[in-house]
Amino acid sequence: METSPQHPVLVIDFGAQTAQLIARRVREAHVYSEIVPHTWTAGQIAAKNPAAIILSGGPSSVWEKGSPNVNPDIFTLDVPILGICYGFQTMAQALGGAVENSGQREYGRTELSFTGEPSVLLEGTPNRQVVWMSHGDAVSQVPDGFVVTASTDQTPIAAFEDPARRYYGVQWHPEVLHSEYGQQLIENFLIRGAGLTPDWVPSSIVDRLVDQIRDQVGSAQVICGLSGGVDSSVAAALVHRAVGDQLTCIFVDHGLLRSGERQQVEQDYAANMGIKVVSVDESERFLTALAGVKDPEDKRKIIGREFIRSFEDAARKLTEEAAASGQKIEFLTQGTLYPDVVESGGGEGTANIKSHHNVGGLPDDLQFELVEPLRELFKDEVRAIGRELGLADKIVNRQPFPGPGLGIRVVGELTRERLDILRAADLIVREELTEAGLDQEIWQCPVVLLADVRSVGVQGDGRTYGHPIVLRPVVSEDAMTADWARIPTDLLAKISTRITNSVPEVNRVVLDVTSKPPGTIEWE
Ligand code: XMP
Protein backbone atom coordinates (compact mmCIF):
# COMPACT_ATOMS: atom_id res chain seq x y z
CA MET A 1 0.00 0.00 0.00
CA GLU A 2 1.37 3.41 -0.96
CA THR A 3 1.61 6.30 1.50
CA SER A 4 1.20 9.99 0.72
CA PRO A 5 -0.16 13.17 2.32
CA GLN A 6 -3.59 11.71 1.48
CA HIS A 7 -2.70 8.44 3.18
CA PRO A 8 0.00 9.08 5.79
CA VAL A 9 1.49 7.24 8.70
CA LEU A 10 0.40 9.40 11.63
CA VAL A 11 2.75 9.91 14.56
CA ILE A 12 0.60 10.85 17.53
CA ASP A 13 2.68 13.18 19.69
CA PHE A 14 2.38 12.59 23.43
CA GLY A 15 4.74 15.44 24.14
CA ALA A 16 7.96 13.63 23.35
CA GLN A 17 10.84 15.52 21.89
CA THR A 18 11.28 12.45 19.77
CA ALA A 19 8.02 12.71 17.79
CA GLN A 20 9.84 14.54 15.00
CA LEU A 21 12.61 12.00 15.13
CA ILE A 22 10.10 9.16 14.77
CA ALA A 23 8.50 10.90 11.78
CA ARG A 24 11.96 11.31 10.22
CA ARG A 25 12.85 7.67 10.74
CA VAL A 26 9.62 6.67 9.02
CA ARG A 27 10.53 8.92 6.09
CA GLU A 28 14.01 7.35 6.05
CA ALA A 29 12.19 4.06 5.54
CA HIS A 30 10.67 5.75 2.44
CA VAL A 31 7.20 5.93 3.92
CA TYR A 32 5.31 9.21 4.27
CA SER A 33 4.59 10.38 7.85
CA GLU A 34 3.04 13.33 9.64
CA ILE A 35 2.87 14.40 13.28
CA VAL A 36 -0.47 15.15 14.94
CA PRO A 37 -1.23 16.11 18.56
CA HIS A 38 -2.59 13.54 21.01
CA THR A 39 -5.61 15.77 21.57
CA TRP A 40 -7.03 14.85 18.17
CA THR A 41 -10.32 12.95 18.20
CA ALA A 42 -10.66 9.58 16.51
CA GLY A 43 -12.83 11.38 13.94
CA GLN A 44 -10.06 13.82 13.07
CA ILE A 45 -7.60 10.95 12.83
CA ALA A 46 -9.93 8.88 10.65
CA ALA A 47 -10.41 11.90 8.36
CA LYS A 48 -6.66 11.81 7.63
CA ASN A 49 -7.14 8.30 6.25
CA PRO A 50 -4.04 6.96 8.04
CA ALA A 51 -2.08 4.04 6.62
CA ALA A 52 -0.73 3.30 10.11
CA ILE A 53 -0.39 5.01 13.47
CA ILE A 54 2.61 5.36 15.78
CA LEU A 55 2.07 6.48 19.38
CA SER A 56 5.13 8.44 20.51
CA GLY A 57 6.80 8.47 23.89
CA GLY A 58 6.05 11.29 26.29
CA PRO A 59 7.31 12.90 29.46
CA SER A 60 4.32 11.91 31.63
CA SER A 61 3.60 8.87 33.73
CA VAL A 62 0.32 7.15 32.89
CA TRP A 63 -0.31 7.45 36.64
CA GLU A 64 -0.16 11.21 36.76
CA LYS A 65 -3.48 12.97 36.99
CA GLY A 66 -4.29 14.61 33.69
CA SER A 67 -1.65 12.65 31.77
CA PRO A 68 -2.70 12.18 28.17
CA ASN A 69 -4.31 8.87 27.28
CA VAL A 70 -4.54 7.37 23.86
CA ASN A 71 -8.05 7.83 22.55
CA PRO A 72 -9.47 4.25 22.72
CA ASP A 73 -11.64 4.93 19.65
CA ILE A 74 -8.57 4.71 17.44
CA PHE A 75 -8.63 0.96 18.05
CA THR A 76 -11.92 0.83 16.11
CA LEU A 77 -10.29 2.21 12.95
CA ASP A 78 -8.72 -1.07 11.81
CA VAL A 79 -5.33 0.57 11.29
CA PRO A 80 -1.94 -0.97 12.22
CA ILE A 81 -0.58 0.65 15.40
CA LEU A 82 2.87 0.80 16.99
CA GLY A 83 3.21 2.13 20.55
CA ILE A 84 6.60 3.45 21.67
CA CYS A 85 7.52 3.90 25.37
CA TYR A 86 4.70 6.02 26.82
CA GLY A 87 2.66 5.14 23.72
CA PHE A 88 3.26 1.45 24.48
CA GLN A 89 1.99 1.86 28.04
CA THR A 90 -1.08 3.91 27.22
CA MET A 91 -1.89 1.40 24.48
CA ALA A 92 -1.57 -1.49 26.94
CA GLN A 93 -3.90 0.25 29.35
CA ALA A 94 -6.48 1.16 26.72
CA LEU A 95 -6.68 -2.44 25.49
CA GLY A 96 -7.23 -3.96 28.95
CA GLY A 97 -3.66 -4.62 30.14
CA ALA A 98 -2.04 -3.03 33.19
CA VAL A 99 0.82 -0.61 33.87
CA GLU A 100 2.60 -0.36 37.19
CA ASN A 101 5.06 2.01 38.69
CA SER A 102 7.99 -0.26 39.41
CA GLY A 103 9.64 2.39 41.57
CA GLN A 104 12.80 1.94 39.53
CA ARG A 105 13.84 3.87 36.48
CA GLU A 106 15.46 2.07 33.60
CA TYR A 107 17.57 4.55 31.70
CA GLY A 108 20.12 4.44 28.90
CA ARG A 109 21.67 1.57 26.98
CA THR A 110 20.06 -1.67 28.05
CA GLU A 111 20.46 -5.24 26.86
CA LEU A 112 17.34 -6.79 25.45
CA SER A 113 16.65 -10.46 24.77
CA PHE A 114 13.93 -12.21 22.82
CA THR A 115 11.40 -14.41 24.58
CA GLY A 116 11.36 -16.88 21.69
CA GLU A 117 7.86 -15.96 20.49
CA PRO A 118 7.69 -15.24 16.76
CA SER A 119 8.03 -11.52 16.15
CA VAL A 120 7.33 -9.26 13.20
CA LEU A 121 9.14 -6.27 14.71
CA LEU A 122 12.32 -8.10 15.66
CA GLU A 123 12.65 -10.26 12.56
CA GLY A 124 16.12 -10.24 11.07
CA THR A 125 17.79 -8.82 14.20
CA PRO A 126 19.95 -10.64 16.78
CA ASN A 127 18.19 -12.11 19.80
CA ARG A 128 20.38 -10.10 22.11
CA GLN A 129 20.77 -6.43 21.31
CA VAL A 130 21.25 -3.02 22.90
CA VAL A 131 18.27 -0.68 23.08
CA TRP A 132 17.77 2.77 24.57
CA MET A 133 15.40 2.87 27.54
CA SER A 134 13.95 5.78 29.49
CA HIS A 135 11.00 4.90 31.73
CA GLY A 136 9.79 4.53 35.30
CA ASP A 137 6.47 2.76 34.73
CA ALA A 138 6.24 -0.64 33.08
CA VAL A 139 3.56 -2.78 31.49
CA SER A 140 2.75 -5.46 34.07
CA GLN A 141 0.02 -7.32 32.25
CA VAL A 142 -0.47 -7.71 28.51
CA PRO A 143 -3.90 -7.17 26.99
CA ASP A 144 -5.75 -10.21 25.57
CA GLY A 145 -4.52 -11.34 22.20
CA PHE A 146 -0.91 -10.14 22.66
CA VAL A 147 2.28 -12.15 23.09
CA VAL A 148 5.40 -10.85 24.81
CA THR A 149 8.34 -10.91 22.40
CA ALA A 150 11.21 -9.33 24.34
CA SER A 151 12.36 -8.49 27.84
CA THR A 152 15.24 -6.95 29.77
CA ASP A 153 16.52 -7.80 33.25
CA GLN A 154 14.34 -5.17 34.77
CA THR A 155 11.40 -5.17 32.37
CA PRO A 156 9.84 -8.58 31.67
CA ILE A 157 7.33 -7.09 29.23
CA ALA A 158 9.53 -4.96 27.00
CA ALA A 159 7.66 -5.62 23.74
CA PHE A 160 4.37 -7.17 22.68
CA GLU A 161 2.59 -7.99 19.45
CA ASP A 162 -0.86 -8.93 18.25
CA PRO A 163 -0.23 -9.66 14.58
CA ALA A 164 -3.89 -10.55 13.92
CA ARG A 165 -4.99 -7.00 14.75
CA ARG A 166 -1.62 -5.58 13.59
CA TYR A 167 -0.92 -3.97 16.98
CA TYR A 168 2.65 -3.70 18.24
CA GLY A 169 4.43 -2.03 21.12
CA VAL A 170 7.94 -1.54 22.51
CA GLN A 171 9.09 -0.06 25.78
CA TRP A 172 12.35 1.28 24.32
CA HIS A 173 13.02 4.05 21.81
CA PRO A 174 13.76 2.52 18.41
CA GLU A 175 13.97 6.02 16.89
CA VAL A 176 17.20 6.98 18.71
CA LEU A 177 20.50 5.88 17.26
CA HIS A 178 21.60 4.16 20.48
CA SER A 179 18.99 1.46 19.80
CA GLU A 180 21.14 -0.71 17.56
CA TYR A 181 18.39 -2.18 15.39
CA GLY A 182 15.87 0.61 15.85
CA GLN A 183 15.59 1.58 12.20
CA GLN A 184 15.14 -2.06 11.23
CA LEU A 185 12.34 -2.34 13.80
CA ILE A 186 10.56 0.71 12.40
CA GLU A 187 10.88 -0.71 8.89
CA ASN A 188 9.62 -4.08 10.05
CA PHE A 189 6.54 -2.42 11.50
CA LEU A 190 5.87 -0.36 8.40
CA ILE A 191 6.60 -2.91 5.74
CA ARG A 192 5.94 -6.32 7.30
CA GLY A 193 3.51 -5.29 10.01
CA ALA A 194 1.49 -2.68 8.19
CA GLY A 195 2.08 -3.86 4.61
CA LEU A 196 3.18 -0.44 3.32
CA THR A 197 5.21 0.11 0.17
CA PRO A 198 8.47 2.03 0.61
CA ASP A 199 7.94 4.29 -2.38
CA TRP A 200 8.37 7.71 -0.79
CA VAL A 201 11.58 8.23 -2.78
CA PRO A 202 13.04 11.41 -4.31
CA SER A 203 11.90 10.69 -7.86
CA SER A 204 8.30 10.05 -6.84
CA ILE A 205 8.29 13.01 -4.47
CA VAL A 206 9.53 15.27 -7.26
CA ASP A 207 6.85 13.99 -9.66
CA ARG A 208 4.12 14.56 -7.11
CA LEU A 209 5.30 18.04 -6.14
CA VAL A 210 5.70 19.06 -9.76
CA ASP A 211 2.09 18.03 -10.46
CA GLN A 212 0.94 19.85 -7.37
CA ILE A 213 2.74 23.07 -8.32
CA ARG A 214 1.32 22.92 -11.85
CA ASP A 215 -2.18 22.52 -10.44
CA GLN A 216 -1.77 25.41 -8.08
CA VAL A 217 -0.05 27.86 -10.41
CA GLY A 218 -1.67 27.15 -13.76
CA SER A 219 -0.40 29.69 -16.29
CA ALA A 220 0.28 32.51 -13.80
CA GLN A 221 3.67 34.02 -13.02
CA VAL A 222 5.60 33.10 -9.86
CA ILE A 223 8.36 34.90 -7.98
CA CYS A 224 10.78 33.45 -5.47
CA GLY A 225 13.28 35.02 -3.09
CA LEU A 226 16.60 33.22 -3.50
CA SER A 227 19.05 33.39 -0.62
CA GLY A 228 21.66 30.96 -1.91
CA GLY A 229 20.70 28.50 0.83
CA VAL A 230 19.53 24.94 0.29
CA ASP A 231 15.83 25.46 0.93
CA SER A 232 15.16 28.37 -1.38
CA SER A 233 17.42 26.85 -4.07
CA VAL A 234 15.55 23.55 -4.05
CA ALA A 235 12.13 25.25 -3.86
CA ALA A 236 13.01 27.39 -6.88
CA ALA A 237 14.40 24.42 -8.80
CA LEU A 238 11.19 22.49 -8.21
CA VAL A 239 8.98 25.35 -9.31
CA HIS A 240 11.21 25.79 -12.33
CA ARG A 241 10.86 22.11 -13.19
CA ALA A 242 7.08 22.53 -12.90
CA VAL A 243 6.43 25.81 -14.69
CA GLY A 244 9.74 26.80 -16.33
CA ASP A 245 9.97 30.44 -17.34
CA GLN A 246 6.86 31.41 -15.43
CA LEU A 247 9.28 31.62 -12.49
CA THR A 248 11.47 34.63 -11.79
CA CYS A 249 13.76 34.63 -8.77
CA ILE A 250 14.80 37.71 -6.85
CA PHE A 251 18.20 37.73 -5.21
CA VAL A 252 18.79 40.60 -2.81
CA ASP A 253 22.51 41.27 -2.34
CA HIS A 254 22.54 42.98 1.05
CA GLY A 255 26.29 43.42 1.02
CA LEU A 256 26.62 41.01 3.95
CA LEU A 257 27.37 37.95 1.86
CA ARG A 258 30.54 35.94 1.84
CA SER A 259 33.06 36.13 -0.94
CA GLY A 260 31.79 34.64 -4.19
CA GLU A 261 28.26 33.94 -2.98
CA ARG A 262 26.50 36.21 -5.39
CA GLN A 263 28.44 34.73 -8.30
CA GLN A 264 27.60 31.27 -7.09
CA VAL A 265 23.90 32.03 -7.18
CA GLU A 266 24.04 33.83 -10.51
CA GLN A 267 26.35 31.46 -12.38
CA ASP A 268 26.59 28.07 -10.75
CA TYR A 269 22.94 27.96 -9.88
CA ALA A 270 20.85 30.17 -12.12
CA ALA A 271 22.80 30.02 -15.36
CA ASN A 272 23.43 26.28 -15.11
CA MET A 273 19.82 25.51 -14.34
CA GLY A 274 18.44 28.02 -16.83
CA ILE A 275 16.52 29.84 -14.11
CA LYS A 276 15.73 33.54 -14.48
CA VAL A 277 17.26 35.50 -11.60
CA VAL A 278 17.02 39.23 -11.03
CA SER A 279 19.83 40.31 -8.69
CA VAL A 280 19.58 43.62 -6.93
CA ASP A 281 22.63 45.20 -5.35
CA GLU A 282 21.27 46.82 -2.21
CA SER A 283 24.51 46.93 -0.22
CA GLU A 284 24.50 50.73 0.00
CA ARG A 285 21.00 50.80 1.37
CA PHE A 286 21.82 48.25 4.07
CA LEU A 287 25.07 49.86 5.11
CA THR A 288 23.43 53.27 5.34
CA ALA A 289 20.62 51.87 7.48
CA LEU A 290 23.13 50.05 9.69
CA ALA A 291 25.51 52.96 10.19
CA GLY A 292 26.37 53.44 13.85
CA VAL A 293 24.42 50.35 14.98
CA LYS A 294 26.19 47.96 17.36
CA ASP A 295 23.46 46.03 19.11
CA PRO A 296 22.98 42.61 17.46
CA GLU A 297 19.21 42.56 17.83
CA ASP A 298 18.97 46.06 16.35
CA LYS A 299 21.13 44.87 13.47
CA ARG A 300 18.83 41.90 12.91
CA LYS A 301 15.75 44.09 12.92
CA ILE A 302 17.21 46.59 10.50
CA ILE A 303 18.49 43.90 8.17
CA GLY A 304 15.09 42.15 8.28
CA ARG A 305 13.24 45.38 7.58
CA GLU A 306 15.51 46.48 4.74
CA PHE A 307 15.37 43.00 3.25
CA ILE A 308 11.59 43.17 3.07
CA ARG A 309 11.69 46.64 1.56
CA SER A 310 14.26 45.62 -1.03
CA PHE A 311 12.28 42.53 -1.93
CA GLU A 312 9.05 44.51 -2.19
CA ASP A 313 10.70 47.07 -4.45
CA ALA A 314 12.05 44.33 -6.72
CA ALA A 315 8.70 42.51 -6.71
CA ARG A 316 6.85 45.73 -7.55
CA LYS A 317 9.13 46.36 -10.50
CA LEU A 318 8.61 42.83 -11.79
CA THR A 319 4.84 43.19 -11.31
CA GLU A 320 4.85 46.36 -13.42
CA GLU A 321 6.95 44.74 -16.12
CA ALA A 322 4.66 41.73 -16.18
CA ALA A 323 1.58 43.97 -16.38
CA ALA A 324 3.11 45.83 -19.32
CA SER A 325 3.25 42.56 -21.21
CA GLY A 326 -0.24 41.54 -20.13
CA GLN A 327 0.82 39.08 -17.43
CA LYS A 328 0.19 38.84 -13.74
CA ILE A 329 2.41 37.65 -10.90
CA GLU A 330 0.11 35.77 -8.58
CA PHE A 331 2.39 33.51 -6.57
CA LEU A 332 5.34 33.71 -4.22
CA THR A 333 7.50 30.63 -3.57
CA GLN A 334 9.03 30.02 -0.16
CA GLY A 335 11.23 27.22 1.10
CA THR A 336 9.27 26.56 4.32
CA LEU A 337 10.10 23.08 5.69
CA TYR A 338 8.04 20.63 7.73
CA PRO A 339 9.88 21.31 11.03
CA ASP A 340 9.08 25.04 10.57
CA VAL A 341 5.43 24.13 10.14
CA VAL A 342 5.37 21.81 13.17
CA GLU A 343 7.39 24.14 15.41
CA SER A 344 5.20 27.11 14.64
CA GLY A 345 2.15 25.03 15.57
CA GLY A 346 0.78 25.24 12.07
CA GLY A 347 0.42 21.56 11.27
CA GLU A 348 -2.86 22.27 9.59
CA GLY A 349 -3.33 24.72 6.75
CA THR A 350 -2.18 28.29 7.30
CA ALA A 351 1.22 29.57 6.29
CA ASN A 352 3.40 30.08 9.34
CA ILE A 353 6.88 31.37 8.96
CA LYS A 354 9.38 31.29 11.80
CA SER A 355 9.98 34.80 12.97
CA HIS A 356 13.20 34.15 14.90
CA HIS A 357 15.30 33.50 11.88
CA ASN A 358 13.99 36.39 10.13
CA VAL A 359 15.48 37.44 6.87
CA GLY A 360 13.63 35.01 4.64
CA GLY A 361 10.34 35.85 6.35
CA LEU A 362 8.21 38.09 4.21
CA PRO A 363 5.12 39.99 5.35
CA ASP A 364 1.81 38.36 4.57
CA ASP A 365 0.36 41.55 3.13
CA LEU A 366 2.36 40.99 -0.02
CA GLN A 367 -0.37 40.44 -2.55
CA PHE A 368 0.70 36.95 -3.54
CA GLU A 369 -0.54 33.48 -2.83
CA LEU A 370 2.17 31.28 -1.31
CA VAL A 371 3.66 28.25 -3.07
CA GLU A 372 5.49 26.19 -0.48
CA PRO A 373 6.49 22.92 -2.12
CA LEU A 374 8.75 21.84 0.76
CA ARG A 375 6.15 22.22 3.53
CA GLU A 376 5.88 18.47 3.97
CA LEU A 377 9.60 17.71 3.91
CA PHE A 378 12.48 17.30 6.31
CA LYS A 379 15.88 18.79 5.49
CA ASP A 380 17.42 15.45 4.45
CA GLU A 381 14.58 14.98 1.99
CA VAL A 382 15.05 18.49 0.62
CA ARG A 383 18.70 17.66 -0.04
CA ALA A 384 17.77 14.37 -1.70
CA ILE A 385 15.29 16.17 -3.94
CA GLY A 386 17.89 18.79 -4.77
CA ARG A 387 20.20 16.01 -5.98
CA GLU A 388 17.36 14.44 -7.94
CA LEU A 389 16.78 17.81 -9.64
CA GLY A 390 20.45 17.97 -10.61
CA LEU A 391 21.64 20.69 -8.23
CA ALA A 392 25.39 20.76 -7.63
CA ASP A 393 26.67 19.13 -4.44
CA LYS A 394 28.08 22.39 -3.17
CA ILE A 395 24.56 23.84 -3.18
CA VAL A 396 22.80 20.78 -1.81
CA ASN A 397 25.34 20.20 0.98
CA ARG A 398 25.76 23.85 1.84
CA GLN A 399 26.20 24.53 5.52
CA PRO A 400 23.70 26.77 7.30
CA PHE A 401 24.40 30.48 6.93
CA PRO A 402 22.34 33.03 8.81
CA GLY A 403 20.02 35.36 6.92
CA PRO A 404 21.68 38.50 8.37
CA GLY A 405 24.94 37.07 7.06
CA LEU A 406 28.22 38.70 8.01
CA GLY A 407 26.17 41.43 9.66
CA ILE A 408 26.12 39.35 12.84
CA ARG A 409 29.72 38.18 12.48
CA VAL A 410 31.31 41.60 12.72
CA VAL A 411 31.12 42.31 16.43
CA GLY A 412 30.69 46.07 16.45
CA GLU A 413 29.53 48.59 13.90
CA LEU A 414 29.38 47.48 10.27
CA THR A 415 31.42 49.21 7.63
CA ARG A 416 32.37 48.17 4.14
CA GLU A 417 36.02 47.96 5.17
CA ARG A 418 35.33 45.71 8.16
CA LEU A 419 33.16 43.46 6.02
CA ASP A 420 35.97 43.18 3.47
CA ILE A 421 38.43 42.15 6.19
CA LEU A 422 36.05 39.47 7.42
CA ARG A 423 35.32 38.27 3.90
CA ALA A 424 39.01 37.78 3.20
CA ALA A 425 39.56 35.77 6.40
CA ASP A 426 36.36 33.76 5.93
CA LEU A 427 37.36 32.77 2.40
CA ILE A 428 40.66 31.37 3.65
CA VAL A 429 38.90 29.34 6.35
CA ARG A 430 36.38 27.92 3.90
CA GLU A 431 39.07 27.01 1.37
CA GLU A 432 41.15 25.23 3.98
CA LEU A 433 38.26 23.32 5.54
CA THR A 434 37.10 22.18 2.11
CA GLU A 435 40.59 21.11 1.10
CA ALA A 436 40.95 19.15 4.34
CA GLY A 437 37.68 17.36 3.50
CA LEU A 438 35.94 18.57 6.63
CA ASP A 439 32.84 20.17 5.11
CA GLN A 440 30.58 17.23 5.89
CA GLU A 441 31.91 16.73 9.40
CA ILE A 442 31.53 20.33 10.45
CA TRP A 443 28.02 21.68 10.86
CA GLN A 444 29.13 25.23 10.20
CA CYS A 445 32.12 27.43 10.94
CA PRO A 446 31.34 31.05 11.65
CA VAL A 447 34.37 33.29 11.24
CA VAL A 448 34.00 36.36 13.42
CA LEU A 449 35.74 39.73 13.34
CA LEU A 450 36.10 41.41 16.72
CA ALA A 451 36.04 44.81 15.13
CA ASP A 452 36.06 46.82 18.33
CA VAL A 453 38.96 44.89 19.85
CA ARG A 454 42.57 45.62 19.04
CA SER A 455 45.62 43.88 20.31
CA VAL A 456 49.31 44.46 19.98
CA GLY A 457 51.34 42.41 17.57
CA VAL A 458 54.65 42.46 15.82
CA GLN A 459 55.31 42.11 12.15
CA GLY A 460 58.74 42.50 10.60
CA ASP A 461 60.35 45.22 12.66
CA GLY A 462 57.15 46.97 13.45
CA ARG A 463 54.55 46.92 16.14
CA THR A 464 51.00 46.33 14.91
CA TYR A 465 47.70 47.12 16.50
CA GLY A 466 45.22 44.85 14.73
CA HIS A 467 41.99 42.93 15.14
CA PRO A 468 41.40 39.35 16.26
CA ILE A 469 39.55 36.87 14.10
CA VAL A 470 37.66 34.10 15.91
CA LEU A 471 37.14 30.66 14.38
CA ARG A 472 33.96 28.98 15.58
CA PRO A 473 33.80 25.51 13.98
CA VAL A 474 31.01 23.42 15.50
CA VAL A 475 29.53 19.97 15.16
CA SER A 476 25.79 19.62 15.66
CA GLU A 477 22.71 17.62 14.72
CA ASP A 478 20.21 20.44 14.56
CA ALA A 479 21.85 23.69 15.79
CA MET A 480 19.85 23.50 19.03
CA THR A 481 22.91 22.15 20.78
CA ALA A 482 26.47 22.01 19.47
CA ASP A 483 30.01 21.18 20.40
CA TRP A 484 33.21 22.80 19.20
CA ALA A 485 34.79 20.81 16.40
CA ARG A 486 38.15 19.19 17.13
CA ILE A 487 40.00 20.47 14.09
CA PRO A 488 43.52 19.08 13.57
CA THR A 489 46.04 21.49 15.05
CA ASP A 490 48.18 21.48 11.90
CA LEU A 491 45.20 22.72 9.95
CA LEU A 492 44.53 25.44 12.52
CA ALA A 493 48.16 26.51 12.24
CA LYS A 494 47.87 26.71 8.45
CA ILE A 495 44.69 28.75 8.63
CA SER A 496 46.18 31.10 11.19
CA THR A 497 49.33 31.67 9.17
CA ARG A 498 47.46 32.28 5.95
CA ILE A 499 45.10 34.77 7.56
CA THR A 500 47.76 36.78 9.38
CA ASN A 501 50.01 36.78 6.30
CA SER A 502 47.41 37.93 3.85
CA VAL A 503 44.92 40.03 5.81
CA PRO A 504 47.01 42.93 7.12
CA GLU A 505 44.40 44.24 9.56
CA VAL A 506 44.34 40.93 11.42
CA ASN A 507 47.20 40.06 13.80
CA ARG A 508 45.62 37.34 15.93
CA VAL A 509 43.54 34.22 15.21
CA VAL A 510 41.73 32.57 18.12
CA LEU A 511 39.68 29.40 18.41
CA ASP A 512 36.35 29.30 20.23
CA VAL A 513 36.23 26.13 22.37
CA THR A 514 32.77 26.60 23.90
CA SER A 515 29.88 24.18 23.52
CA LYS A 516 26.27 25.29 23.02
CA PRO A 517 24.90 25.76 25.62
CA PRO A 518 26.25 27.94 27.09
CA GLY A 519 27.65 29.68 23.99
CA THR A 520 25.44 30.14 20.94
CA ILE A 521 26.88 29.21 17.56
CA GLU A 522 26.98 32.78 16.29
CA TRP A 523 28.75 35.42 18.36
CA GLU A 524 25.95 37.94 18.04
P1 XMP B 1 22.71 30.29 17.45
O1 XMP B 1 23.70 31.41 17.26
O2 XMP B 1 21.38 30.77 17.99
O3 XMP B 1 22.41 29.75 16.00
O4 XMP B 1 23.27 29.14 18.23
C1 XMP B 1 21.67 28.60 15.68
C2 XMP B 1 21.58 28.52 14.18
O5 XMP B 1 20.82 29.61 13.67
C3 XMP B 1 21.60 30.41 12.82
N1 XMP B 1 21.23 31.80 13.13
C4 XMP B 1 20.45 32.55 12.34
N2 XMP B 1 19.87 32.28 11.15
N3 XMP B 1 18.92 34.46 11.15
C5 XMP B 1 19.12 33.25 10.55
O6 XMP B 1 18.60 33.04 9.45
C6 XMP B 1 19.46 34.79 12.35
O7 XMP B 1 19.26 35.89 12.85
C7 XMP B 1 20.28 33.78 12.96
N4 XMP B 1 20.96 33.74 14.14
C8 XMP B 1 21.54 32.50 14.21
C9 XMP B 1 23.04 30.08 13.13
O8 XMP B 1 23.89 30.33 12.02
C10 XMP B 1 22.93 28.61 13.49
O9 XMP B 1 22.86 27.80 12.32
Side-chain angles (χ1 to χ4, degrees), residues 300 356-358 400-404 408-409 443-444 479 516 520-522:
R300 279 193 172 78
H356 164 52
H357 290 162
N358 33 27
F401 183 65
I408 54 167
R409 292 185 178 171
W443 170 266
Q444 64 186 121
K516 172 183 178 179
T520 51
I521 295 176
E522 301 293 345

Side-chain angles (χ1 to χ4, degrees), residues 228-249:
V230 181
D231 305 341
S232 64
S233 301
V234 174
L238 258 176
V239 174
H240 185 254
R241 167 80 59 100
V243 298
D245 271 353
Q246 286 164 251
L247 171 72
T248 307
C249 294

Side-chain angles (χ1 to χ4, degrees), residues 150-171:
S151 51
T152 69
D153 281 351
Q154 206 176 303
T155 307
I157 304 176
F160 61 37
E161 302 190 4
D162 177 352
R165 284 188 288 176
R166 300 179 297 171
Y167 292 162
Y168 306 86
V170 292
Q171 180 57 67

Side-chain angles (χ1 to χ4, degrees), residues 448-480:
V448 181
L449 176 68
L450 303 187
D452 287 346
V453 176
R454 280 179 181 276
S455 72
V456 176
V458 57
Q459 218 155 11
D461 292 336
R463 177 182 180 277
T464 61
Y465 199 43
H467 297 290
I469 278 282
V470 181
L471 309 179
R472 175 67 169 139
V474 294
V475 289
S476 177
E477 290 267 322
D478 52 10
M480 304 290 281

Side-chain angles (χ1 to χ4, degrees), residues 252-257 280 282-283 286-287 303 307 359 402-406:
V252 176
D253 181 351
H254 51 22
L256 308 168
L257 298 166
V280 286
E282 296 279 11
S283 52
F286 279 79
L287 280 180
I303 295 168
F307 182 86
V359 165
L406 301 183

